């Protein structure tokens, strides 16, 4: 049998379990403003001090102005003067993983490429992934000349 590498990142946060963080995201989803897509999304961001910040998607009649739950919660973290995001749980449809869009991956990468992402799977199970693995080649200003 071929040996496969375990790509699930180690969950090192004793204060909260992946399933509990998913529950927090599910609570945040309740406040989603998504009258156009009818696809409410919730996100819960775990900080290094064990604080959890929640966010949801916010849509607009001008569709392109929609804000994803992940970018919403990152913006809240910044606006609240908080930092050190360690993990984020994201929920959409029950029992189905809700993976972030490319824009959100890039925004999360800015604050911690080693952030652990938590998704919901069937039968109330959690799936964890490393942000770095989902976005191996982020946009970077490295190599650019200073302005
Ligand atoms: Zn997004």
């Amino acid at each position: 049998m071929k040996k496969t590498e375990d790509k699930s990142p180690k969950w090192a946060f004793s204060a909260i379990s992946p399933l509990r963080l998913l529950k927090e995201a599910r609570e945040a989803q309740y406040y989603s403003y998504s009258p156009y897509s009818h696809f409410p999304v919730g996100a819960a961001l775990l900080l290094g001090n064990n604080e959890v910040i929640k966010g949801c998607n916010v849509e607009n009649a001008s569709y392109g102005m929609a804000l994803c739950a992940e970018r919403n919660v990152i913006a809240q973290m910044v606006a609240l003067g908080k930092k050190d995001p360690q993990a984020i749980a994201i929920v959409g449809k029950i029992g189905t993983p809700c993976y972030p869009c490319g824009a959100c991956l890039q925004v999360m990468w800015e604050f911690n490429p080693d952030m652990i992402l938590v998704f919901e799977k069937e039968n109330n199970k959690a799936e964890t992934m490393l942000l770095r693995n989902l976005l191996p080649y982020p946009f970077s200003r490295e190599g650019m000349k200073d302005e």
Side-chain angles (χ1 to χ4, degrees):
M1 192 203 267
K2 188 181 171 192
K3 189 180 177 190
T4 55
E5 190 182 339
D6 180 16
K7 288 189 174 174
S8 294
K10 187 171 171 55
W11 189 263
F13 316 110
S14 57
I16 192 166
S17 68
L19 282 176
R20 177 65 207 181
L21 198 59
L22 281 170
K23 191 166 185 280
E24 298 276 347
R26 189 65 71 194
E27 287 173 16
Q29 184 189 32
Y30 175 80
Y31 298 103
S32 163
Y33 181 74
S34 46
Y36 306 105
S37 72
H38 303 288
F39 192 78
V41 179
L45 187 68
L46 175 66
L47 306 181
N49 66 359
N50 295 326
E51 192 174 344
V52 174
I53 300 175
K54 298 187 226 179
C56 58
N57 57 334
V58 180
E59 297 183 347
N60 191 272
S62 176
Y63 295 168
M65 303 313 293
L67 178 65
C68 299
E70 301 93 315
R71 274 178 289 150
N72 183 340
V73 79
I74 290 284
Q76 284 193 65
M77 176 192 74
V78 173
L80 291 167
K82 312 277 184 180
K83 57 187 177 184
D84 197 22
Q86 295 295 310
I88 184 170
I90 304 150
V91 298
K93 192 177 166 192
I94 290 172
T96 305
C98 184
Y99 301 115
C101 74
C104 287
L105 291 173
Q106 177 73 37
V107 168
M108 291 188 286
W109 198 95
E110 177 88 14
F111 295 94
N112 182 3
D114 293 316
M115 204 184 317
I116 296 176
L117 280 58
V118 186
F119 306 105
E120 187 180 81
K121 294 185 80 176
E122 286 179 332
N123 304 318
N124 198 33
K125 290 209 167 87
E127 172 183 44
T128 54
M129 293 183 179
L130 204 54
L131 171 57
R132 190 181 285 286
N133 290 338
L134 285 176
L135 186 65
Y137 302 105
F139 172 77
S140 169
R141 292 180 58 84
E142 268 178 44
M144 281 185 163
K145 287 182 180 172
D146 291 336
E147 288 126 39

